[in-house]
Amino acid sequence: MTTRINIHYPSLYTGLIAAAGVTLVIWTVYRQFAPQEDGTELDDGRSCARPEAATGKPSCENQHKTGLSQSPETESSPASPTDQAVRAHGNAARIAQYEELTQDFVVDGLDLKALESAQVSFGGLEESDWPGIWPRPYPVPFPSVRLTVLPLDGGQLNAANPKLAISLSSVAREVAGALTGYHSYVNPRSGYHATLFYMSHPNDIRPDTSRDGGGELFRNGEVMVPTTESLDWEHLQVEQMSKGMSRITLEIERITFTRAGTLLVLFIDRTGKASPHGDKPTSIDSLRQRFRSGFPGAPTKQPRPIIHGTLLRLLAPCVPLQKAMKAKMLGICDKWTSKLKGTQYTVDTFWLVHETRFSSLEGEKKAFKLK
């Protein structure tokens, strides 16, 4: 006996096409925002060090590539032992992780694959005669990328320590000038920030953070955007969390250059006179945990417990630094660490940002005062 199976081909084809469309959207977003070193902080007021040796479109093809390094801003799952130590032991383990970041660059130099990964998020690299590099817009509907940050911009820093903002920008300019033959993006002071928490990450979009899983991501092959109601709920949650929170006192621990080509200022949390070598969770650790508990639908990928601001990102060409240039980078970082280590200032505001361009702080901002 023969059994005949009837298939309705139009419905089958329609289903296959719809599935392919959704897969293409997911792959496009992933390729654009594959995990990178953090947190580059950018703005439209931009400057760059143009290469003398490299011309034309930078490319890493046919060049030596190393494994992708761990981002100093965001953690993977499961967390590494170092990540777990920082969460459990505050500033003491935080400093240990800073030393690890520094020594990774000292021993292994640049991670060329990380440089290549970062290039897709910047424009201007393709034009040999273009006077600047800029962060590209996110290829997802607004406001898909939403985060809370401690602003470390010129106004904030100047209000607390008039010389600090000038010093940090001086570090970046000195490093950029020393990177002869390389394209680098120098972050303007208005873009300095330390990320606290992502409501929706460019590589993990969450339309509704009030719901486990972050709500429905796709509908009819289109990326869903947050509703007015879900955005209002997020704003109210952040506002409620800000009440009763004290100002945050940060202290510069060091200036360092990472394998991913970023120049970072690294902080410890001295809020409430917390010990610089204490083994207890600090104010920022507790704040990030409050965000985690208050937004059940937020991404699992979140800022690692280190506290940093990005001053510069080296982007191209994807070639190892010569020994003399690497030594020069380390020397500049050591010099400025000696000058700035121990400098404190108090941040009295944090922002909820609906960001439009790669790690730029461009977009809608709402400020929340700390007592």
Side-chain angles (χ1 to χ4, degrees):
M1 179 177 67
T2 302
T3 302
R4 178 176 295 176
I5 301 176
N6 294 318
I7 301 176
H8 185 53
Y9 289 101
S11 298
L12 176 62
Y13 292 153
T14 299
L16 289 174
I17 291 171
V22 171
T23 301
L24 179 60
V25 171
I26 295 173
W27 178 248
T28 300
V29 172
Y30 173 79
R31 289 294 298 167
Q32 181 73 8
F33 297 104
Q36 305 170 23
E37 191 279 334
D38 120 279
T40 329
E41 290 61 45
L42 319 168
D43 196 18
D44 194 41
R46 55 192 180 271
S47 61
C48 75
R50 300 299 295 175
E52 297 175 4
T55 58
K57 181 178 180 179
S59 174
C60 299
E61 294 179 0
N62 302 319
Q63 296 181 17
H64 174 68
K65 300 178 182 179
T66 63
L68 185 62
S69 64
Q70 172 75 23
S71 161
E73 181 187 17
T74 49
E75 63 185 4
S76 301
S77 181
S80 71
T82 306
D83 294 333
Q84 294 170 348
V86 174
R87 282 200 295 271
H89 303 298
N91 283 330
R94 187 173 280 127
I95 291 174
Q97 189 169 9
Y98 294 166
E99 181 63 21
E100 182 180 324
L101 277 174
T102 301
Q103 290 303 314
D104 283 348
F105 174 71
V106 171
V107 175
D108 298 321
L110 290 175
D111 181 334
L112 304 183
K113 192 170 183 179
L115 264 64
E116 180 182 22
S117 179
Q119 290 176 2
V120 299
S121 298
F122 292 87
L125 292 168
E126 301 85 354
E127 305 294 336
S128 60
D129 59 347
W130 189 258
I133 299 172
W134 67 93
R136 294 187 183 277
Y138 290 120
V140 290
F142 178 82
S144 292
V145 181
R146 308 182 304 283
L147 65 160
T148 54
V149 305
L150 293 177
L152 307 175
D153 60 14
Q156 189 73 228
L157 292 175
N158 283 328
N161 188 320
K163 297 181 180 179
L164 186 56
I166 297 173
S167 296
L168 292 178
S169 59
S170 296
V171 180
R173 288 196 302 271
E174 184 172 350
V175 169
L179 286 170
T180 304
Y182 285 84
H183 296 262
S184 59
Y185 184 91
V186 178
N187 191 19
R189 282 161 49 180
S190 59
Y192 293 170
H193 71 269
T195 300
L196 289 173
F197 190 82
Y198 281 101
M199 280 69 180
S200 183
H201 190 276
N203 198 36
D204 190 0
I205 297 171
R206 302 298 178 105
D208 186 354
T209 55
S210 68
R211 298 169 55 190
D212 289 338
E216 185 180 9
L217 178 56
F218 293 101
R219 182 178 296 173
N220 299 324
E222 298 287 337
V223 178
M224 295 292 290
V225 297
T227 64
T228 300
E229 290 76 13
S230 63
L231 292 176
D232 288 345
W233 180 84
E234 280 186 357
H235 180 273
L236 182 60
Q237 283 289 93
V238 173
E239 186 174 48
Q240 291 297 323
M241 290 181 185
S242 68
K243 293 180 178 179
M245 288 172 45
S246 62
R247 298 178 179 184
I248 294 174
T249 300
L250 299 179
E251 178 178 300
I252 293 180
E253 203 282 325
R254 74 180 66 190
I255 305 292
T256 198
F257 202 81
T258 74
R259 293 201 65 215
T262 51
L263 176 68
L264 305 181
V265 53
L266 298 169
F267 302 96
I268 55 175
D269 182 0
R270 296 300 304 278
T271 307
K273 297 182 180 180
S275 169
H277 303 288
D279 58 0
K280 296 181 179 179
T282 65
S283 179
I284 284 184
D285 297 326
S286 299
L287 177 57
R288 285 170 168 167
Q289 183 56 48
R290 289 178 67 183
F291 280 124
R292 163 51 63 200
S293 301
F295 295 95
T300 55
K301 181 183 179 72
Q302 289 295 339
R304 288 167 63 178
I306 73 170
I307 310 166
H308 78 283
T310 303
L311 307 179
L312 172 148
R313 182 190 287 272
L314 189 157
L315 293 167
C318 294
V319 295
L321 291 175
Q322 294 182 352
K323 186 175 181 180
M325 185 176 290
K326 180 179 175 182
K328 193 170 186 178
M329 293 298 101
L330 294 170
I332 294 172
C333 290
D334 288 345
K335 179 185 74 175
W336 281 101
T337 294
S338 296
K339 289 183 177 181
L340 299 177
K341 185 179 178 70
T343 303
Q344 293 186 4
Y345 66 94
T346 300
V347 182
D348 62 4
T349 303
F350 75 92
W351 293 346
L352 170 61
V353 184
H354 294 174
E355 197 171 51
T356 58
R357 291 176 179 269
F358 174 72
S359 218
S360 64
L361 295 191
E362 291 186 30
E364 297 178 1
K365 305 179 185 70
K366 296 178 181 178
F368 299 87
K369 296 291 289 185
L370 301 174
K371 295 183 178 180

